[in-house]
Amino acid sequence: MSEAVSRPTLEAVAARAGVSRATVSRVVNGGDGVREPLVERVRRAVEELGYVPNQAARSLVTKRHDAVAVVIAEPETRIFTDPFFALQLRGISKELTAQDNQLVLLLTEGRDDHARVARYLAGGHVDGALVFSLHLDDPLPGLIEGAGVPTVFGGRPGWSGGSKSAVYVDCDNRGGAEDAVRHLVGLGRTRIAHITGPLDQTSAADRLQGYRDVMGETDPRLVVASDFTPSGGERAMGELLDRCPDVDAVFAANDLTALGALRVLRERGRRVPEDVAVIGFDDVLPVAGQTEPALTTVRQDIEEMGRLMARLLLSTLNRGQSPTGAPTGVVLPTTLIRRATA
Amino acid sequence: MSEAVSRPTLEAVAARAGVSRATVSRVVNGGDGVREPLVERVRRAVEELGYVPNQAARSLVTKRHDAVAVVIAEPETRIFTDPFFALQLRGISKELTAQDNQLVLLLTEGRDDHARVARYLAGGHVDGALVFSLHLDDPLPGLIEGAGVPTVFGGRPGWSGGSKSAVYVDCDNRGGAEDAVRHLVGLGRTRIAHITGPLDQTSAADRLQGYRDVMGETDPRLVVASDFTPSGGERAMGELLDRCPDVDAVFAANDLTALGALRVLRERGRRVPEDVAVIGFDDVLPVAGQTEPALTTVRQDIEEMGRLMARLLLSTLNRGQSPTGAPTGVVLPTTLIRRATA
DNA sequence: GTGAAAGCGCTAACAG
DNA sequence: CTGTTAGCGCTTTCAC
């Protein structure tokens, strides 16, 4: 280790300020109940010595860590291709920072890592957890519940069993999808297709549900399963054109999917939006703003969702209780952003 | 906080196993120097009680935290559009996990955050830091140096002043660029342009240098500054076509830039690679594999760079010294990936 | 209001 | 080999 010239302790500050450790501690932690002149003196001593509290020592007695784990359980490569997580992380980071909490990042690559994560959380290293685990069959949420750590989920958790009172933050996937499809209908389109996301994820399932809400019973061939990736979108769009050449609109489950669909439409000589209108979901700018033509899409405020998750968790932590019993889910609204493709 | 039914302590395990705390501690930390029957008994007690060591207490005495900070100082939105950081994070995460270290993520939004990060690092909350700060004028590296925390940089640091012995991991930007341009020359191209990245970042500067190495003195109009983004690539390509209509090859500073360039080339009716050959840099698959035609590019193993950074840091930590004096930089090789654009 | 003293849970000498 | 004994640096009663 670095011989980090052992940093000054409370003791040192106390000596310098000519007070007791207890007083310094009080000042450092807000200064309530200490008279002004002393506060000032201690502050100066802290300043001069460059004193920084030892978090380990503090945690040992307070049992708080001012740290929150962010668990991203995405075996797929989606984390690395979709700016979604990055944006949400930013929101989380901002909020945690604002409230002086640290962000411990736990990336899991697969089942093997679950035990590790569970152990870590149960180990009481952090005060709470923010968990992204969007697969229906994911055992992680259950494990986490077992760890007894206050947790807020990103996205409506879809696992079966376990408590039904998980706290989560999500956007209105279903409503957003409804808006999109309604818009397409309003444009006079009649053969409106949907390219889904991976249906074992609630966001994808909810968007499909929104599509169905508006379309009612339709030609089942108009719904093609895909996976939130551009190449998946290509594949699905190709299939779609093969079996329903008369399709005149596509609601893609996310922007990346729409990107792939657009590519195939161009290849096959369909004009967008004249021949086929296209709408995406997410409004991830580097994608939606860059397509040709610019993508009409459903915007969700991803960064805000991150902030909200953090805020929710911290507020329950400060309230001194686990989130259970609190509002079960917070669902943020979406807005349709009209650009050129629909 | 959650009333996490106060977890069992060493004391409790010791009582249950009928040994002393010290013995339990030894077993928990590897079990050297404890006779088999006792080890077994302690193990069982640990198991039965679900004992997990209290990291705060441990840190307090060992002065180790088994935690590493990852500082991403990117005021730009690049983190959120380029899979680069995500991949590197994955590499880092894997290596840290493998060596039982935690990853504390520090995202900075601008100068205001610098002080906070410096304070955190100086506070001795982590054993070391992995820092991404690629701007020439960034004050952060200096601050970090001041904090006295062992640090490994991602990418060759370019700040002036301060120690010249910073440890870093980078890819061979210059050599990779040379390969790319040489390939273009080998294709018989003579009007080879370069769209640069932001030149206040060493990676961009080094790639430009590689271009110059091969091209020597060229028409200065063939070099256009840009910013590693698709829209920047579009802008630059447009400019390039305007002032050098006879351009027959483009080496783009990264894949995202190439993406924008390809878009403009298509718009302007230039065939790729027949009229204009294009090469990118990075080989970020979701980009390079998805362009049309598929992008020829210079691959760097981003995830491996992340792993290496972590490995380097941990090894110096274990060696009980700060990295200073160790090899100054580790430069990974690049390879040209031939696809369809050149 | 301020100080003295008692630990938080653990590791690391040091004895035995 | 195993147990005993000091603390690590901090917060927090409890007296004064």
Side-chain angles (χ1 to χ4, degrees), chain B residues 9-10 21 25 29 51 57-58:
Chain B
T9 71
L10 254 201
R21 271 156 45 201
S25 176
N29 293 295
Y51 169 76
R58 176 181 283 174

Side-chain angles (χ1 to χ4, degrees), chain A residues 15-175:
Chain A
R16 177 157 196 128
V19 297
S20 74
R21 270 154 50 200
T23 298
V24 177
S25 176
R26 289 184 186 110
V27 172
V28 168
N29 292 294
D32 301 340
V34 179
R35 252 192 280 265
E36 193 42 53
L38 271 198
V39 173
E40 190 41 45
R41 222 156 41 154
V42 172
R43 287 248 159 80
R44 193 174 4 259
V46 166
E47 188 65 36
E48 289 167 354
L49 265 44
Y51 169 75
V52 184
N54 179 321
Q55 185 64 40
R58 177 181 283 175
S59 290
L60 189 53
V61 33
T62 60
K63 271 110 171 56
R64 280 216 43 159
H65 304 266
D66 297 318
V68 168
V70 172
V71 183
I72 301 188
E74 190 69 20
E76 318 303 325
T77 50
R78 187 176 157 217
I79 327 180
F80 306 108
T81 63
D82 196 329
F84 188 90
F85 285 105
L87 282 169
Q88 207 141 356
L89 255 189
R90 170 152 77 169
I92 290 171
S93 166
K94 278 184 179 168
E95 188 66 30
L96 289 181
T97 294
Q99 300 198 36
D100 258 308
N101 273 61
Q102 243 41 31
L103 191 171
V104 178
L105 186 64
L106 267 33
L107 257 31
T108 72
E109 295 291 332
R111 304 278 147 125
D112 301 352
D113 284 349
H114 285 357
R116 183 192 109 236
V117 170
R119 193 156 24 86
Y120 183 75
L121 294 181
H125 302 277
V126 291
D127 301 327
L130 298 174
V131 179
F132 296 88
S133 167
L134 309 164
H135 292 271
L136 283 174
D137 60 339
D138 198 319
L140 195 61
L143 289 173
I144 286 171
E145 197 162 39
V149 182
T151 299
V152 173
F153 289 91
R156 182 169 71 79
W159 76 98
S160 47
S163 109
K164 62 267 291 309
S165 67
V167 180
Y168 68 90
V169 173
D170 205 346
C171 80
D172 186 5
N173 287 303
R174 187 167 170 177

Side-chain angles (χ1 to χ4, degrees), chain B residues 29 32 55 105 146 154 178 194 207 215 314 320 334:
Chain B
N29 293 295
D32 301 340
Q55 186 64 41
L105 186 64
E178 289 175 0
H194 178 41
R207 289 169 199 181
M215 297 297 289
L314 293 179
T334 59

